[in-house]
Amino acid sequence: KGLAGGLALTAFGGGGVVASPLISALQSHFARPPTFLGPAGSVPLTLDHGRQLAEVDGVLKEVVVATHSELAQLSGSLGGLAEGVYVVGTGSTGAGMAFLSLSALYSCIMAMGAVGMRVPAAGWAPAGYSESSASSAARGCQGYTYSQAMHTPQFFLLWTAVYGNACSGMAI
């Protein structure tokens, strides 16, 4: 049981080690900088109910003035932006498309796995299988309904392990 739990946690952590650089690469690929209007002093700004507005293609749009210290906090593909005025709601960190890409990849892998599962041909048995040993092993097993299974200690132990795996993944 300890080995199985250790392998499960290792696999979960290994997935995090692989996923982290993949997510970063996808975010960098899909990131778009916001629309830059120019340096702060060269763009005429209007104040309306506490919002800064600037004229863009004949329409007043909300803008932010990004200072050097604010831009220094950015990293990745959005690092290196110029100090000045940017249109609010433009640009993207790429996170949405990165996770959409990962979900499409995951769905394809799961679909391929599902297609690869087959019921063995009628009469097929693994090498060394004997009907008598299988029936004696099955005599010790008890069948459970879903509601009965949810009240067994094994159910709670299994879900505790799943919860532990999820917490480990969030910690990565």
Side-chain angles (χ1 to χ4, degrees), residues 123-164:
W124 180 87
Y129 174 81
S130 70
E131 186 70 36
S132 63
S133 66
S135 61
S136 66
R139 275 186 249 127
C141 296
Q142 178 182 358
Y144 291 98
T145 64
Y146 290 117
S147 60
Q148 290 172 328
M150 288 192 309
H151 292 91
T152 62
Q154 291 86 348
F155 176 81
F156 291 104
L157 289 171
L158 175 67
W159 279 103
T160 301
V162 169
Y163 177 77

Side-chain angles (χ1 to χ4, degrees), residues 38-66:
S42 67
V43 178
L45 300 176
T46 312
L47 209 58
D48 180 36
H49 300 294
R51 297 181 330 161
Q52 294 183 64
L53 304 172
E55 190 172 321
V56 180
D57 298 328
V59 178
L60 283 178
K61 293 196 175 186
E62 187 174 1
V63 297
V64 296
V65 178

Side-chain angles (χ1 to χ4, degrees), residues 8-9 16 19 24 29-30 39 43 47 50 54 65 69 72 75 88 92 105 113 127 129 143 152 154 170:
L9 286 173
S24 295
H29 176 74
F30 290 116
V43 178
L47 209 58
V65 178
S69 61
S75 62
V88 171
S92 169
L105 175 67
Y129 174 81
T152 62
Q154 291 86 348
M170 287 186 273

